[in-house]
């Protein structure tokens, strides 16, 4: 049975939210207004900066020489911002003990695929250029940012660039064709996302590109040779199938995968770590798993 | 790259092993001879006993009042024994801090489905009758025993019997129709199992029953309302798809699931914990997860 906090959260989401199937600029503004209501740890200091020309928000969540968390926010590739996700990004940096770099990759429709991938890759390479060891970097992202994190890992591997210690994908959107049967099966259960919004956003991001392109929908990429992946997803979201596909295909390709499915949880429930014990537990468990990856054979 | 220990293990398996697609009594004898070569912790004392008339091997891996691990061995429902799996069962009991009860459920073809399910259920109910709190019991099993563990949980739920704290499924065989595409895709990679052996064993176990029966192939069961499930599988085994199906379907049904896919690992690699660091790490990680389940809301 859902906790009172979860029930209130769901009721609030059902009462209304940004419409990703309508005008993308309006959706972006509405989504940003929603994100502005999310708290961030007042103990954390955030600083505007940049990595290779990509705007970032840095958070002092770890010692400067400890490594780096590269965070890629959600928002269906058309919305969201490093500032809007600073609370979640900083919580992840805290459980990892790593300084946080949340990046403002370019958004569609103004900057369609592969602009976001290029920005994430450029930011990661800049971290390496500054002397951060790859084995002390974690790339994380939620929703579209989770798919983007996986696409970034695939791109880095293809280019022979040193890979980070791990990838952490929160409710990743990794198949822009939106074809998994659980999208329809979970449509009534999901208070946050709808298929029409995903399809419209995918069209903005893809432009003329095919939805099956492996760097747009990394479930279609060669997922061998990647660092360990932690995938967390709620059972009450239409992207459950995307998370399962990532786990199955990466695992079949000999990549170490842990998939965690949380009952009754909704899209990127870790954002509500301050309300939902499940969100807090998921972040703490992620910290333990990812720190072990940094201490692993490549750490 | 596979470690030297893993390469030797794979070479040994490829050199020959029990043929599950031939005579089941011969396969049983050959498999038992193989199991007899597996070590067990000399610090652990094993005692022949019974639970509700089901023969068991008990191991003193925890204080008598700490709870119970109910272990269901592998062997494709036609082979294997509590004695043959005592080393693995006791290791799991040790990481949990629970007394271990490995049961000798009846085997096919002499005792086809649902004899194994009935024996597992009877043994579990006897633990409850002896006063062991359900919240301090973990049901675990490997291969056929992993599918049997899941079927047992489904049966207990259907009957309204108090459920254990968690299920731990090691490389579960949970779809006796053997229809997942990864069975063929991984046939060359898997040194231990082959599809013909599974299909022949399934026929012995099923008798006149359909392979899709939800208590024979619990991927087809209603997997809602179950305790948390930990599923571990190797990427080099034909049952990878069974593990993914269990995770996807249980998760979609609002059951808490953690699926761990280990690169290069083979069927029930945890059996080789004394040779393979991955096997040791998987057992230790399982201990942490399952102990948290026993301390959880139902613990």
């Amino acid at each position: 049975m859902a906790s009172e906090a979860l029930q209130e959260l769901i009721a609030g989401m059902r009462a209304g939210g940004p419409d990703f199937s309508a005008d993308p600029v309006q959706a972006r503004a509405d989504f940003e207004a929603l994100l502005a209501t999310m708290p961030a740890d007042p103990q954390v200091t955030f600083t505007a900066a940049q990595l290779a020309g990509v705007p970032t928000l840095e958070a002092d969540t770890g010692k400067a020489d400890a490594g780096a968390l590269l965070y890629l926010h959600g928002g269906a590739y058309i919305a969201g911002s490093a500032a809007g996700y600073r609370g979640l990004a900083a919580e992840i940096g805290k459980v990892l003990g790593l300084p946080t770099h949340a990046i403002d990759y370019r958004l569609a429709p103004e900057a369609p695929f592969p602009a976001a991938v290029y920005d994430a890759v450029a930011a990661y390479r800049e971290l390496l250029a500054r002397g951060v060891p790859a084995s002390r970097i974690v790339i994380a992202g939620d929703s579209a940012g989770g798919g983007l994190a996986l696409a970034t890992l695939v791109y880095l591997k293809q280019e022979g660039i040193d890979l980070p210690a791990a990838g952490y994908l929160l409710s990743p959107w990794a198949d822009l064709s939106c074809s998994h049967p659980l999208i329809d099966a979970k449509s009534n259960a999901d208070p946050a996302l709808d298929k029409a919004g995903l399809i419209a956003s995918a069209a903005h991001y893809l432009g003329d590109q095919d939805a099956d392109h492996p760097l747009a929908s990394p479930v279609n990429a060669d997922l061998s040779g990647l660092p360990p992946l932690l995938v967390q997803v709620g059972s009450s979201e239409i992207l459950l199938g995307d998370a399962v596909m990532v786990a199955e295909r990466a695992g079949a390709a000999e990549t170490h995968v842990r998939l965690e499915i949380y009952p009754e949880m909704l899209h990127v429930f870790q954002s509500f770590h301050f309300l939902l014990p499940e969100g807090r537990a998921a972040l703490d468990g992620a910290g333990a798993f990812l720190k072990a990856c940094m201490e692993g054979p490549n750490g």
Side-chain angles (χ1 to χ4, degrees), chain A:
Chain A
M1 182 55 64
S3 68
E4 199 171 326
L6 179 58
Q7 288 178 24
E8 283 181 22
L9 200 56
I10 291 170
M13 287 178 175
R14 292 208 186 278
D19 182 2
F20 281 86
S21 57
D23 175 55
V25 175
Q26 185 63 47
R28 190 182 300 165
D30 293 345
F31 191 55
E32 205 60 30
L34 187 68
L35 293 172
T37 67
M38 300 289 282
D41 183 345
Q43 305 289 330
V44 172
T45 301
F46 296 93
T47 309
Q50 55 84 22
L51 286 169
V54 180
T56 70
L57 199 61
E58 292 182 4
D60 63 341
T61 44
K63 287 182 187 169
D65 61 354
L69 166 66
L70 185 67
Y71 195 77
L72 310 174
H73 69 76
Y77 290 112
I78 66 167
S81 65
Y85 279 85
R86 71 189 181 287
L88 175 59
E91 274 324 292
I92 298 172
K94 281 163 61 184
V95 296
L96 289 170
L98 297 180
T100 300
H101 304 257
I103 72 169
D104 273 313
Y105 56 85
R106 287 167 287 166
L107 297 178
E110 296 87 339
F113 172 85
V117 182
Y118 287 176
D119 286 354
V121 168
Y124 177 80
R125 298 193 74 160
E126 175 66 15
L127 289 171
L128 296 185
R130 292 183 187 179
V132 183
S135 63
R136 297 289 311 168
I137 302 177
V138 169
I139 300 184
D142 67 281
S143 196
L148 179 57
L150 186 56
T152 300
L153 293 172
V154 169
Y155 186 97
L156 294 173
K157 182 200 63 170
Q158 286 173 348
E159 296 295 314
I161 298 164
D162 283 350
L163 293 169
Y168 175 27
L169 317 180
L170 300 80
S171 301
W173 184 27
D175 174 22
L176 272 56
S177 75
C178 303
S179 57
H180 197 284
L182 281 168
I183 291 182
D184 292 325
K186 290 290 181 185
S187 63
N188 288 328
D190 190 330
L193 297 184
D194 67 277
K195 186 176 183 175
L198 291 183
I199 289 174
S201 302
H204 292 308
Y205 180 55
L206 290 165
D208 297 333
Q209 193 57 255
D210 194 275
D212 293 334
H213 191 293
L215 289 175
S217 295
V219 290
N220 302 313
D222 172 4
L223 299 178
S224 66
L226 300 185
L229 301 177
L230 173 60
V231 186
Q232 294 180 333
V233 68
S235 65
S236 293
E237 52 170 313
I238 62 176
L239 292 181
L240 173 57
D242 279 45
V244 171
M245 283 193 288
V246 167
E248 174 170 356
R249 296 181 188 187
E254 309 281 347
T255 286
H256 187 154
V257 182
R258 177 187 289 187
L259 169 67
E260 299 176 351
I261 307 176
Y262 289 81
E264 299 187 337
M265 288 297 111
L266 34 79
H267 192 54
V268 200
F269 60 97
Q270 302 89 340
S271 293
F272 305 100
H273 59 88
F274 50 91
L275 274 179
L276 304 176
E278 296 90 342
R280 186 69 252 168
L283 290 175
D284 292 339
F289 178 86
L290 298 167
K291 281 199 278 194
C293 292
M294 288 192 281
E295 291 159 3
N298 306 314

